[in-house]
Amino acid sequence: MNALEELTESFSRLPGIGKKSAARIANSLLKSDRYFLERFALQLSTLQDKIKPCSLCGSWTEEDPCQICSDLTRDRSVICVVEQPQDAATIEASHEFHGLFHVLGGVISPLEGMTPDKLRIQQLLERVKKENVKEVILATNPTVEGDTTALYIQRVLSETGVALTRLASGLPVGGDLEYADRLTLARSFRGRTKI
């Protein structure tokens, strides 16, 4: 295997990048100027040294605590629980949520060896008990694992008296009914609102 094939193989291991996309990226890098390649290589080689999980919420950050946890203008009485750091970034980009986040680091999935003790559920419980939290929004993905994790957290936090809510799920804006799957339609009917 030559260097180009090795690089293509490495890129294809990244999520969402298949063999063809990996080959295009590798070939594009061959055409790039040396300065860009050196800077890119340095960024990759120092990524894990510079970016760490926030000690409070678990999101990726260069400064601990992260910008969101450090922002005193945020509503500290509401915590939105997400599976991964990129989920917090997605919600933050919507500019609709102004509270704090808590990243679990995955979901309960016994088949993949992810048990509750491997997630940041205990840290969430400690935050709820220590801080003046009034609401916890469970924003796990609407999958079997996400729902299982949300139910487990609901059980763990039931004694704290904090209000527990779950993000609404159902039909996307602009979507057609004929393309919706049965589970999405079922959730849409269960989560309907009065107008």
Side-chain angles (χ1 to χ4, degrees), residues 19-39:
K19 289 277 185 196
K20 287 184 179 181
S21 294
R24 279 195 295 276
I25 293 169
N27 281 295
S28 174
L29 289 175
L30 278 174
K31 298 174 192 172
S32 298
D33 65 87
R34 189 171 251 341
Y35 172 74
F36 170 78
L37 290 176
E38 288 171 357
R39 198 173 101 237

Side-chain angles (χ1 to χ4, degrees), residues 102-117:
H102 187 85
V103 178
L104 295 172
V107 287
I108 297 171
S109 180
L111 294 176
E112 294 179 21
M114 287 300 283
T115 53
D117 60 301

Side-chain angles (χ1 to χ4, degrees), residues 23 63 69 104 148 152-153 184:
E63 300 167 11
C69 289
L104 295 172
T148 301
Y152 183 85
I153 292 170
T184 300

Side-chain angles (χ1 to χ4, degrees), residues 42-147:
L42 180 64
Q43 290 167 341
L44 286 175
S45 67
T46 61
L47 183 65
Q48 291 181 332
D49 296 329
K50 292 182 178 180
I51 308 292
K52 301 283 185 206
C54 173
S55 60
L56 298 176
C57 72
S59 287
W60 297 125
T61 184
E62 284 190 58
E63 300 167 11
D64 194 18
C66 70
Q67 284 184 322
I68 292 173
C69 289
S70 299
D71 185 351
L72 298 178
T73 65
R74 308 249 347 167
D75 183 353
R76 301 181 109 52
S77 69
V78 181
I79 294 178
C80 181
V81 178
V82 295
E83 295 176 15
Q84 299 294 344
Q86 57 267 34
D87 299 329
T90 300
I91 292 171
E92 188 63 15
S94 76
H95 303 290
E96 291 295 320
F97 178 68
H98 305 289
L100 300 176
F101 289 97
H102 187 85
V103 178
L104 295 172
V107 287
I108 297 171
S109 180
L111 294 176
E112 294 179 21
M114 287 300 283
T115 53
D117 60 301
K118 292 184 180 173
L119 302 176
R120 298 183 69 250
I121 295 172
Q122 187 60 39
Q123 291 91 328
L124 174 64
L125 179 61
E126 290 168 13
R127 284 181 79 183
V128 168
K129 285 180 176 178
K130 273 197 291 187
E131 300 167 22
N132 190 23
V133 178
K134 292 182 175 66
E135 180 185 6
V136 172
I137 302 168
L138 300 174
T140 55
N141 289 316
T143 60
V144 172
E145 295 84 1
D147 289 345

